[in-house]
């Protein structure tokens, strides 16, 4: 396969998946409400803010690496380089980790148990539909370099 045209084959952008699951949680809260009393506490707000701050660290650090290396974040375009430095030495998927922290932080701030309940399903979707395809693509594109990287750095955290 032509490496200049090969890509992970992820048609639905991952942020859309996060948004869709988040919207599903909001919808479920409207039709099957779960008490929000826990979320009306100061602790819940602090947890939400801390999680959002952590999400910014992961997300901005990952984007910074992509801009520095002139790589693409668009999942239907081929990668120009393998990201292994900076935040990518902590996790192979810092953008997905960052958006996961953002999703969870927002769930705490708006006070929705359904978003928390749907979290494991969201992780399974991202891992099965997105990360699995990206890993297969990166093996095709970068071979042994990616294989070595996988042995050193975890998929999530």
């Amino acid at each position: 396969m032509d490496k200049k045209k090969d890509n992970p084959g992820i048609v639905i952008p991952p942020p859309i998946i996060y948004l869709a699951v988040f919207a599903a949680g909001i919808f479920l809260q409207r039709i099957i409400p779960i008490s929000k009393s826990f979320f009306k506490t100061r602790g819940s707000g602090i947890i939400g803010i801390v999680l959002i701050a952590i999400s910014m660290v992961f997300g901005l650090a990952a984007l910074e690496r992509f801009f520095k290396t002139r790589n693409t974040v668009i999942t239907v375009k081929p990668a120009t380089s393998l990201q292994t430095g900076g935040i990518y030495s902590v996790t192979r998927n810092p953008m997905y980790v960052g958006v996961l922290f953002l999703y969870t932080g927002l769930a705490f701030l708006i006070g929705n148990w359904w978003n928390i309940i749907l979290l494991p399903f969201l992780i399974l979707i991202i891992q099965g539909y997105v990360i699995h395809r990206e890993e297969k693509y990166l093996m095709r594109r970068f071979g042994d370099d990616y294989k070595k990287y996988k042995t050193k750095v975890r998929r999530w955290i």
Side-chain angles (χ1 to χ4, degrees):
M1 183 170 278
D2 183 2
K3 288 188 178 187
K4 290 185 179 184
K5 293 183 181 177
D6 190 16
N7 65 69
I10 300 163
V11 180
I12 303 169
I16 300 297
I17 297 169
Y18 283 90
L19 282 172
V21 174
F22 199 84
I26 292 170
F27 175 74
L28 284 168
Q29 179 62 22
R30 289 189 180 175
I31 60 169
I32 310 169
I34 299 176
S35 173
K36 293 183 171 194
S37 59
F38 167 75
F39 296 110
K40 293 179 182 175
T41 65
R42 179 178 290 165
S44 175
I46 291 170
I47 291 169
I49 290 168
V50 167
L51 290 172
I52 290 170
I54 292 169
S55 83
M56 296 299 150
V57 170
F58 279 91
L60 293 175
L63 287 173
E64 182 258 344
R65 291 293 307 164
F66 269 74
F67 286 126
K68 270 188 177 177
T69 60
R70 298 181 192 267
N71 210 342
T72 183
V73 295
I74 301 169
T75 54
V76 293
K77 290 188 175 185
T80 58
S81 63
L82 179 62
Q83 304 300 310
T84 60
I87 194 74
Y88 285 87
S89 65
V90 177
T91 173
R92 295 195 314 255
N93 297 287
M95 287 187 207
Y96 304 142
V97 170
V99 180
L100 195 63
F101 276 114
L102 177 64
Y103 172 103
T104 309
L106 289 172
F108 272 85
L109 288 181
I110 70 165
N112 191 339
W113 280 114
W114 281 108
N115 289 118
I116 304 298
I117 293 166
L118 293 175
L119 196 56
F121 299 105
L122 173 59
I123 292 168
L124 288 173
I125 292 167
I126 293 297
Q127 186 146 323
Y129 174 70
V130 179
I131 294 174
H132 178 72
R133 289 173 185 229
E134 286 183 345
E135 288 179 344
K136 286 175 82 172
Y137 164 70
L138 292 170
M139 277 301 295
R140 287 192 310 270
R141 179 83 168 97
F142 300 106
D144 286 340
D145 288 340
Y146 183 67
K147 194 174 186 178
K148 287 177 199 169
Y149 172 63
K150 277 177 52 170
T151 65
K152 295 177 187 172
V153 179
R154 295 173 59 98
R155 180 178 285 145
W156 290 94
I157 297 180

